[in-house]
Coordinates of all heavy atoms in Angstrom, one line a residue:
M11 N 44.4 143.3 134.1 CA 44.2 142.8 132.8 C 44.0 143.9 131.8 O 43.4 144.9 132.1 CB 43.0 141.8 132.8 CG 42.8 141.1 131.5 SD 41.2 140.3 131.3 CE 41.0 139.5 132.8
R12 N 44.5 143.7 130.6 CA 44.4 144.7 129.5 C 42.9 144.9 129.2 O 42.1 143.9 129.1 CB 45.1 144.3 128.3 CG 45.1 145.3 127.2 CD 46.2 144.9 126.1 NE 46.2 143.5 125.8 CZ 45.5 143.0 124.8 NH1 44.7 143.8 124.0 NH2 45.5 141.7 124.5
K13 N 42.5 146.2 129.1 CA 41.1 146.5 128.8 C 40.7 145.9 127.5 O 41.4 146.1 126.5 CB 40.9 148.0 128.8 CG 39.4 148.4 128.9 CD 39.3 149.9 128.9 CE 37.8 150.2 128.9 NZ 37.6 151.6 128.8
G14 N 39.6 145.2 127.4 CA 39.1 144.6 126.2 C 39.7 143.2 125.9 O 39.4 142.6 124.9
A15 N 40.7 142.8 126.7 CA 41.3 141.4 126.4 C 40.3 140.4 126.8 O 39.6 140.5 127.8 CB 42.6 141.3 127.2
P16 N 40.2 139.3 126.0 CA 39.3 138.2 126.3 C 39.7 137.5 127.5 O 40.9 137.3 127.8 CB 39.4 137.3 125.1 CG 40.6 137.6 124.4 CD 41.0 139.0 124.8
T17 N 38.8 137.1 128.3 CA 39.1 136.3 129.5 C 39.5 134.9 129.1 O 39.2 134.5 128.0 CB 37.9 136.2 130.5 OG1 36.9 135.5 129.7 CG2 37.4 137.6 130.9
F18 N 40.2 134.2 130.0 CA 40.6 132.8 129.7 C 39.4 131.9 129.3 O 39.4 131.2 128.4 CB 41.3 132.2 130.9 CG 41.7 130.8 130.6 CD1 42.7 130.4 129.7 CD2 41.1 129.7 131.3 CE1 43.1 129.1 129.5 CE2 41.4 128.4 131.1 CZ 42.4 128.1 130.1
R19 N 38.3 132.1 130.1 CA 37.1 131.3 129.9 C 36.5 131.5 128.5 O 36.2 130.6 127.8 CB 36.0 131.6 130.9 CG 34.8 130.7 130.9 CD 33.9 131.1 132.0 NE 34.5 131.0 133.3 CZ 34.1 130.1 134.2 NH1 33.1 129.2 133.9 NH2 34.6 130.0 135.4
K20 N 36.5 132.8 128.1 CA 36.0 133.1 126.7 C 36.9 132.5 125.7 O 36.5 132.0 124.7 CB 35.9 134.6 126.5 CG 34.6 135.2 127.1 CD 34.6 136.7 126.7 CE 33.4 137.3 127.3 NZ 33.5 138.8 127.3
R21 N 38.2 132.7 125.8 CA 39.2 132.1 124.8 C 39.0 130.6 124.8 O 39.0 130.0 123.7 CB 40.6 132.5 125.2 CG 41.0 133.8 124.6 CD 42.5 134.0 124.8 NE 42.8 134.4 126.1 CZ 43.8 134.0 126.8 NH1 44.7 133.2 126.3 NH2 44.0 134.3 128.0
R22 N 38.9 130.0 125.9 CA 38.8 128.5 125.9 C 37.5 128.1 125.2 O 37.5 127.1 124.5 CB 38.8 128.1 127.4 CG 39.1 126.6 127.5 CD 39.7 126.2 128.8 NE 39.7 124.8 128.8 CZ 39.1 124.1 129.8 NH1 38.6 124.8 130.8 NH2 39.1 122.9 129.8
G23 N 36.5 128.8 125.5 CA 35.2 128.5 124.8 C 35.3 128.6 123.3 O 34.8 127.7 122.6
K24 N 36.0 129.6 122.8 CA 36.2 129.8 121.4 C 37.0 128.7 120.8 O 36.8 128.1 119.8 CB 36.9 131.1 121.2 CG 36.9 131.6 119.7 CD 37.4 133.0 119.6 CE 37.5 133.4 118.2 NZ 38.1 134.7 118.0
M25 N 38.1 128.2 121.5 CA 38.9 127.2 121.1 C 38.1 125.9 120.9 O 38.3 125.2 119.9 CB 40.1 126.9 122.1 CG 41.3 127.7 121.9 SD 42.4 127.6 123.3 CE 42.7 125.9 123.5
A26 N 37.3 125.6 121.9 CA 36.5 124.3 121.9 C 35.6 124.3 120.7 O 35.2 123.2 120.3 CB 35.8 124.2 123.2
R27 N 35.2 125.4 120.2 CA 34.2 125.4 119.1 C 34.9 125.2 117.7 O 34.3 125.1 116.7 CB 33.5 126.7 119.1 CG 32.5 126.9 120.2 CD 31.5 128.0 119.9 NE 32.1 129.3 119.6 CZ 32.4 130.2 120.5 NH1 32.2 130.0 121.8 NH2 32.9 131.3 120.1
R28 N 36.3 125.3 117.7 CA 37.0 125.1 116.5 C 37.7 123.8 116.4 O 37.9 123.1 117.4 CB 38.0 126.2 116.3 CG 37.3 127.6 116.2 CD 38.4 128.6 115.9 NE 39.3 128.7 117.1 CZ 40.2 129.7 117.2 NH1 40.4 130.5 116.2 NH2 41.0 129.7 118.2
L29 N 38.0 123.4 115.1 CA 38.6 122.1 114.8 C 39.5 122.3 113.7 O 39.2 123.0 112.7 CB 37.4 121.2 114.4 CG 37.7 119.8 113.9 CD1 38.2 118.9 115.0 CD2 36.4 119.3 113.3
A30 N 40.7 121.6 113.8 CA 41.7 121.7 112.7 C 41.2 120.9 111.5 O 40.6 119.8 111.7 CB 43.0 121.2 113.2
S31 N 41.4 121.4 110.3 CA 41.0 120.7 109.1 C 42.2 120.7 108.1 O 42.7 121.8 107.8 CB 39.8 121.3 108.5 OG 39.4 120.8 107.3
V32 N 42.6 119.6 107.6 CA 43.7 119.5 106.7 C 43.3 119.4 105.2 O 42.4 118.6 104.9 CB 44.6 118.3 107.0 CG1 45.8 118.2 106.1 CG2 45.1 118.3 108.4
D33 N 43.9 120.2 104.4 CA 43.7 120.1 102.9 C 44.7 119.0 102.5 O 45.9 119.3 102.3 CB 44.0 121.4 102.2 CG 43.8 121.3 100.7 OD1 43.7 120.2 100.2 OD2 43.7 122.4 100.1
R34 N 44.3 117.8 102.3 CA 45.1 116.7 102.0 C 45.9 116.8 100.7 O 47.0 116.3 100.6 CB 44.3 115.4 101.9 CG 43.7 115.1 103.2 CD 42.8 113.9 103.1 NE 42.2 113.6 104.4 CZ 41.4 112.6 104.7 NH1 41.0 111.8 103.7 NH2 40.9 112.4 105.9
R35 N 45.4 117.6 99.8 CA 46.1 117.7 98.5 C 47.4 118.5 98.6 O 48.3 118.4 97.9 CB 45.2 118.4 97.5 CG 44.0 117.5 97.1 CD 43.0 118.4 96.4 NE 42.5 119.5 97.3 CZ 41.7 120.4 96.9 NH1 41.2 120.4 95.7 NH2 41.3 121.3 97.8
R36 N 47.4 119.4 99.6 CA 48.6 120.3 99.8 C 49.5 119.8 100.9 O 50.6 120.3 101.0 CB 48.1 121.7 100.1 CG 47.5 122.4 98.9 CD 46.6 123.5 99.3 NE 47.3 124.5 100.2 CZ 46.5 125.3 100.9 NH1 45.2 125.3 100.9 NH2 47.2 126.1 101.7
C37 N 49.1 118.8 101.7 CA 50.0 118.3 102.8 C 51.2 117.6 102.2 O 51.1 116.8 101.3 CB 49.2 117.3 103.6 SG 50.1 116.5 104.9
V38 N 52.4 117.9 102.8 CA 53.6 117.3 102.3 C 54.1 116.2 103.3 O 55.3 115.8 103.2 CB 54.7 118.4 102.0 CG1 54.3 119.3 100.9 CG2 55.0 119.2 103.3
S39 N 53.3 115.9 104.2 CA 53.6 114.8 105.2 C 54.9 115.0 106.0 O 55.6 114.0 106.3 CB 53.8 113.4 104.4 OG 52.8 113.3 103.5
C40 N 55.1 116.2 106.4 CA 56.4 116.5 107.1 C 56.3 116.1 108.6 O 57.4 116.0 109.2 CB 56.7 118.0 107.0 SG 55.5 119.1 107.9
G41 N 55.1 116.0 109.1 CA 55.0 115.6 110.5 C 55.1 116.7 111.5 O 55.0 116.5 112.7
A42 N 55.3 118.0 111.1 CA 55.4 119.1 112.0 C 54.2 119.2 112.9 O 54.3 119.5 114.1 CB 55.7 120.4 111.2
C43 N 53.0 119.1 112.3 CA 51.8 119.2 113.1 C 51.7 118.1 114.1 O 51.4 118.4 115.3 CB 50.6 119.1 112.1 SG 50.6 117.7 111.1
E44 N 52.0 116.9 113.7 CA 52.0 115.7 114.6 C 52.9 116.0 115.8 O 52.6 115.7 117.0 CB 52.4 114.5 113.8 CG 52.3 113.2 114.5 CD 52.7 112.1 113.6 OE1 51.8 111.7 112.8 OE2 53.8 111.6 113.7
N45 N 54.1 116.5 115.6 CA 55.0 116.7 116.7 C 54.7 117.9 117.6 O 55.2 118.0 118.7 CB 56.4 117.0 116.1 CG 57.0 115.8 115.3 OD1 56.6 114.7 115.7 ND2 57.8 116.0 114.3
T46 N 53.8 118.7 117.1 CA 53.4 120.0 117.9 C 52.1 119.8 118.7 O 52.0 120.4 119.7 CB 53.2 121.1 116.9 OG1 54.4 121.3 116.1 CG2 52.9 122.4 117.6
C47 N 51.2 119.0 118.2 CA 49.9 118.9 118.8 C 50.0 118.4 120.3 O 50.5 117.3 120.5 CB 49.0 117.9 118.0 SG 47.4 117.7 118.8
P48 N 49.4 119.2 121.2 CA 49.5 118.8 122.6 C 48.6 117.6 123.0 O 48.6 117.1 124.0 CB 49.1 120.0 123.4 CG 48.2 120.8 122.4 CD 48.8 120.5 121.0
R49 N 47.7 117.3 122.0 CA 46.6 116.2 122.3 C 46.8 115.0 121.5 O 45.9 114.1 121.5 CB 45.3 116.8 122.1 CG 44.9 118.0 123.0 CD 44.2 117.6 124.2 NE 43.0 117.0 123.8 CZ 42.2 116.4 124.7 NH1 42.5 116.3 125.9 NH2 41.0 115.9 124.3
N50 N 47.8 115.0 120.7 CA 48.0 113.8 119.7 C 46.8 113.7 118.8 O 46.3 112.5 118.6 CB 48.3 112.5 120.4 CG 49.7 112.5 121.1 OD1 50.6 113.1 120.6 ND2 49.8 111.9 122.2
A51 N 46.2 114.8 118.4 CA 44.9 114.7 117.7 C 45.2 114.8 116.2 O 44.2 114.6 115.4 CB 44.1 115.9 118.1
I52 N 46.4 115.0 115.8 CA 46.7 115.0 114.3 C 47.8 114.1 114.0 O 48.9 114.2 114.7 CB 46.9 116.5 113.8 CG1 47.0 116.6 112.3 CG2 48.1 117.1 114.5 CD1 46.9 118.0 111.8
R53 N 47.7 113.2 113.0 CA 48.7 112.2 112.7 C 48.9 112.1 111.2 O 47.9 112.3 110.5 CB 48.3 110.9 113.2 CG 48.2 110.7 114.7 CD 49.6 110.6 115.3 NE 49.5 110.6 116.8 CZ 49.6 109.4 117.4 NH1 49.6 108.3 116.8 NH2 49.6 109.4 118.7
V54 N 50.1 111.9 110.8 CA 50.3 111.6 109.4 C 49.9 110.2 109.1 O 50.5 109.2 109.7 CB 51.8 111.9 109.0 CG1 52.0 111.5 107.5 CG2 52.2 113.3 109.2
W55 N 49.0 110.0 108.2 CA 48.4 108.7 107.9 C 49.2 108.0 106.8 O 49.2 108.5 105.7 CB 46.9 108.8 107.6 CG 46.2 107.5 107.4 CD1 45.8 106.7 108.3 CD2 45.8 107.0 106.1 NE1 45.1 105.6 107.8 CE2 45.1 105.8 106.4 CE3 45.9 107.4 104.8 CZ2 44.6 105.0 105.4 CZ3 45.4 106.6 103.8 CH2 44.8 105.4 104.1
K56 N 49.8 106.8 107.2 CA 50.6 106.0 106.2 C 51.5 106.8 105.4 O 51.8 106.5 104.2 CB 49.6 105.2 105.3 CG 48.8 104.2 106.1 CD 47.9 103.4 105.1 CE 47.2 102.3 105.9 NZ 46.3 101.5 105.1
G57 N 52.1 107.9 105.9 CA 53.1 108.7 105.2 C 52.5 109.5 104.1 O 53.2 110.1 103.3
L58 N 51.1 109.6 104.0 CA 50.5 110.2 102.9 C 50.0 111.7 103.2 O 50.3 112.6 102.5 CB 49.3 109.4 102.5 CG 49.6 108.0 101.9 CD1 48.3 107.2 101.7 CD2 50.4 108.1 100.7
F59 N 49.3 111.8 104.3 CA 48.8 113.1 104.6 C 48.3 113.1 106.1 O 48.1 112.0 106.7 CB 47.6 113.6 103.7 CG 46.5 112.5 103.6 CD1 45.6 112.3 104.6 CD2 46.4 111.8 102.4 CE1 44.6 111.3 104.5 CE2 45.5 110.8 102.3 CZ 44.6 110.6 103.3
A60 N 48.2 114.3 106.7 CA 47.8 114.4 108.1 C 46.3 114.3 108.2 O 45.5 114.7 107.3 CB 48.2 115.7 108.6
R61 N 45.8 113.6 109.3 CA 44.4 113.5 109.5 C 44.2 113.9 111.0 O 45.0 113.7 111.9 CB 44.0 112.0 109.4 CG 44.0 111.5 108.0 CD 43.1 110.3 107.8 NE 43.3 109.2 108.8 CZ 42.8 108.0 108.6 NH1 42.1 107.8 107.5 NH2 43.0 107.1 109.5
V62 N 43.0 114.5 111.2 CA 42.7 115.1 112.5 C 41.6 114.2 113.2 O 40.6 113.8 112.5 CB 42.1 116.5 112.4 CG1 41.7 117.0 113.8 CG2 43.1 117.4 111.8
E63 N 41.9 113.8 114.4 CA 40.9 113.1 115.2 C 40.0 114.1 115.9 O 40.5 114.8 116.9 CB 41.6 112.2 116.2 CG 40.6 111.5 117.2 CD 39.5 110.7 116.5 OE1 39.8 109.9 115.7 OE2 38.3 111.0 116.8
G64 N 38.8 114.3 115.4 CA 38.0 115.4 115.9 C 37.7 115.4 117.4 O 37.5 116.4 118.0
S65 N 37.6 114.2 117.9 CA 37.2 114.1 119.3 C 38.3 114.5 120.2 O 38.1 114.7 121.4 CB 36.8 112.6 119.6 OG 37.9 111.7 119.4
L66 N 39.6 114.5 119.7 CA 40.7 114.9 120.6 C 41.1 116.4 120.4 O 41.7 117.0 121.2 CB 41.9 114.0 120.2 CG 41.7 112.5 120.5 CD1 43.0 111.7 120.1 CD2 41.5 112.3 122.0
C67 N 40.8 116.9 119.2 CA 41.2 118.3 118.9 C 40.5 119.3 119.8 O 39.3 119.3 119.9 CB 40.9 118.6 117.4 SG 41.4 120.3 116.9
I68 N 41.3 120.2 120.4 CA 40.8 121.3 121.2 C 40.8 122.6 120.5 O 40.5 123.6 121.2 CB 41.5 121.3 122.6 CG1 43.0 121.6 122.4 CG2 41.2 120.1 123.4 CD1 43.8 121.9 123.6
G69 N 41.2 122.6 119.3 CA 41.2 123.9 118.5 C 42.2 124.9 118.9 O 42.0 126.1 118.7
C70 N 43.4 124.5 119.4 CA 44.4 125.4 119.9 C 45.1 126.2 118.8 O 45.8 127.1 119.1 CB 45.4 124.6 120.8 SG 46.4 123.5 119.8
T71 N 45.1 125.7 117.5 CA 45.7 126.3 116.3 C 47.2 126.1 116.2 O 47.8 126.6 115.3 CB 45.4 127.8 116.2 OG1 46.2 128.6 117.1 CG2 43.9 128.2 116.4
L72 N 47.8 125.4 117.2 CA 49.3 125.2 117.1 C 49.7 124.5 115.8 O 50.7 124.9 115.2 CB 49.8 124.4 118.3 CG 49.7 125.1 119.6 CD1 50.1 124.2 120.8 CD2 50.5 126.4 119.6
C73 N 49.0 123.5 115.4 CA 49.3 122.8 114.2 C 49.3 123.7 112.9 O 50.2 123.7 112.1 CB 48.4 121.6 114.0 SG 46.7 122.0 113.9
A74 N 48.3 124.5 112.9 CA 48.1 125.4 111.8 C 49.3 126.4 111.7 O 49.7 126.8 110.6 CB 46.8 126.2 111.8
R75 N 49.8 126.8 112.9 CA 50.9 127.8 112.9 C 52.2 127.2 112.4 O 53.0 127.9 111.9 CB 51.0 128.3 114.3 CG 49.8 129.2 114.7 CD 50.1 129.9 116.0 NE 49.0 129.9 116.9 CZ 49.0 130.4 118.1 NH1 50.1 130.9 118.6 NH2 47.9 130.4 118.8
V76 N 52.4 125.9 112.6 CA 53.7 125.3 112.3 C 53.7 124.7 110.9 O 54.8 124.4 110.4 CB 54.2 124.3 113.3 CG1 54.4 124.9 114.7 CG2 53.3 123.1 113.4
C77 N 52.6 124.5 110.3 CA 52.5 123.8 109.0 C 53.2 124.6 107.9 O 52.8 125.7 107.5 CB 51.0 123.6 108.6 SG 50.9 122.8 107.0
P78 N 54.3 124.0 107.3 CA 55.0 124.8 106.3 C 54.3 124.9 104.9 O 54.5 125.7 104.1 CB 56.3 123.9 106.1 CG 55.9 122.5 106.5 CD 54.9 122.7 107.6
A79 N 53.3 124.0 104.8 CA 52.5 124.0 103.5 C 51.2 124.9 103.7 O 50.5 125.0 102.7 CB 52.1 122.6 103.1
V80 N 51.0 125.4 104.8 CA 49.8 126.2 105.1 C 48.6 125.5 104.6 O 47.7 126.1 103.9 CB 50.0 127.6 104.5 CG1 49.0 128.6 105.1 CG2 51.4 128.2 104.6
C81 N 48.5 124.3 105.0 CA 47.3 123.5 104.6 C 46.3 123.1 105.7 O 45.5 122.2 105.5 CB 47.7 122.3 103.8 SG 48.6 121.1 104.7
I82 N 46.5 123.8 106.9 CA 45.6 123.5 108.0 C 44.7 124.7 108.2 O 45.3 125.8 108.5 CB 46.3 123.1 109.3 CG1 47.2 121.9 109.0 CG2 45.3 122.8 110.4 CD1 48.1 121.4 110.2
D83 N 43.4 124.5 108.2 CA 42.5 125.6 108.5 C 41.8 125.3 109.8 O 41.6 124.1 110.1 CB 41.5 125.8 107.4 CG 42.0 126.4 106.1 OD1 42.9 127.3 106.3 OD2 41.6 126.0 105.1
M84 N 41.3 126.3 110.4 CA 40.5 126.1 111.6 C 39.0 126.3 111.2 O 38.7 127.3 110.6 CB 40.8 127.1 112.7 CG 42.3 127.0 113.2 SD 42.8 125.3 113.6 CE 41.8 124.9 115.0
R85 N 38.2 125.3 111.4 CA 36.8 125.3 111.0 C 35.9 125.3 112.3 O 36.3 124.8 113.3 CB 36.5 124.1 110.3 CG 37.3 123.9 109.0 CD 36.5 124.3 107.8 NE 37.3 124.4 106.6 CZ 37.5 123.4 105.8 NH1 37.0 122.2 106.0 NH2 38.3 123.6 104.7
E86 N 34.8 125.9 112.1 CA 33.8 125.9 113.2 C 33.3 124.4 113.3 O 33.0 123.8 112.3 CB 32.6 126.8 112.9 CG 33.0 128.3 113.0 CD 33.4 128.8 114.3 OE1 32.8 128.4 115.3 OE2 34.5 129.5 114.4
R87 N 33.1 124.0 114.5 CA 32.5 122.6 114.7 C 31.0 122.7 114.4 O 30.4 123.7 114.8 CB 32.7 122.2 116.2 CG 34.0 121.7 116.5 CD 34.0 121.2 118.0 NE 35.3 120.8 118.4 CZ 35.8 119.6 118.2 NH1 35.1 118.6 117.7 NH2 37.0 119.3 118.6
S88 N 30.5 121.7 113.9 CA 29.0 121.6 113.7 C 28.4 121.3 115.1 O 29.0 120.6 115.9 CB 28.7 120.6 112.7 OG 29.2 119.4 113.0
V89 N 27.2 121.8 115.3 CA 26.5 121.6 116.5 C 26.0 120.2 116.6 O 25.4 119.7 115.6 CB 25.3 122.6 116.7 CG1 24.6 122.3 118.0 CG2 25.8 124.0 116.6
E90 N 26.4 119.5 117.7 CA 26.0 118.1 117.8 C 24.8 117.9 118.8 O 24.6 118.7 119.6 CB 27.2 117.3 118.3 CG 28.3 117.2 117.2 CD 29.6 116.9 117.8 OE1 29.7 116.4 119.0 OE2 30.6 117.1 117.1
Ligands
LIG110 S1 44.2 122.5 116.7 FE1 45.6 122.0 118.5 S2 44.6 120.1 119.3 FE2 43.7 120.4 117.3 S3 45.0 119.1 116.0 FE3 45.9 121.2 115.9 S4 47.5 121.2 117.5 FE4 46.1 119.4 117.9
LIG111 S1 52.5 120.2 109.1 FE1 51.2 120.5 107.3 S2 52.4 119.7 105.6 FE2 53.3 118.9 107.5 S3 52.2 116.9 107.9 FE3 51.1 118.5 109.0 S4 49.4 119.1 107.6 FE4 51.0 118.0 106.4

């Protein structure tokens, strides 16, 4: 393993602490995030904007990477 590279466990822990968040004003309803999400955690709602189901999101960042409008941010989850 590359020296200093994070272990899988550490990376997974970091992912689980994050959550995708959509800026609805900038969303163009293209569906790219919906088609990319491995957990079906983000959906375009009534053709208007994408919404994230927080209980399903694992914080993988794939949706944020494909969004053409750059309107998905990764936020820290609040402690429950
Ligand atoms: S961060 Fe990953 S799991 Fe969460 S909504 Fe985006 S693609 Fe889905
Ligand atoms: S990829 Fe971005 S612009 Fe397209 S539906 Fe998802 S959040 Fe909206």
Side-chain angles (χ1 to χ4, degrees):
M11 187 193 312
R12 185 166 45 92
K13 193 176 177 187
T17 63
F18 177 71
R19 190 179 295 250
K20 274 187 186 167
R21 268 188 288 143
R22 194 151 170 238
K24 192 174 177 186
M25 273 169 53
R27 291 197 304 270
R28 292 183 300 183
L29 172 71
S31 173
V32 178
D33 180 345
R34 296 175 178 182
R35 294 164 302 177
R36 287 160 50 202
C37 174
V38 296
S39 315
C40 68
C43 54
E44 187 176 280
N45 295 332
T46 303
C47 179
R49 300 267 297 171
N50 292 325
I52 187 164
R53 294 286 178 94
V54 176
W55 185 74
K56 295 186 176 180
L58 296 174
F59 49 76
R61 294 202 306 191
V62 177
E63 173 54 55
S65 63
L66 297 177
C67 178
I68 56 171
C70 69
T71 75
L72 291 177
C73 56
R75 291 190 219 178
V76 299
C77 177
V80 197
C81 65
I82 303 176
D83 286 326
M84 302 307 297
R85 301 258 167 92
E86 293 293 315
R87 280 183 187 273
S88 55
V89 179
E90 291 158 16

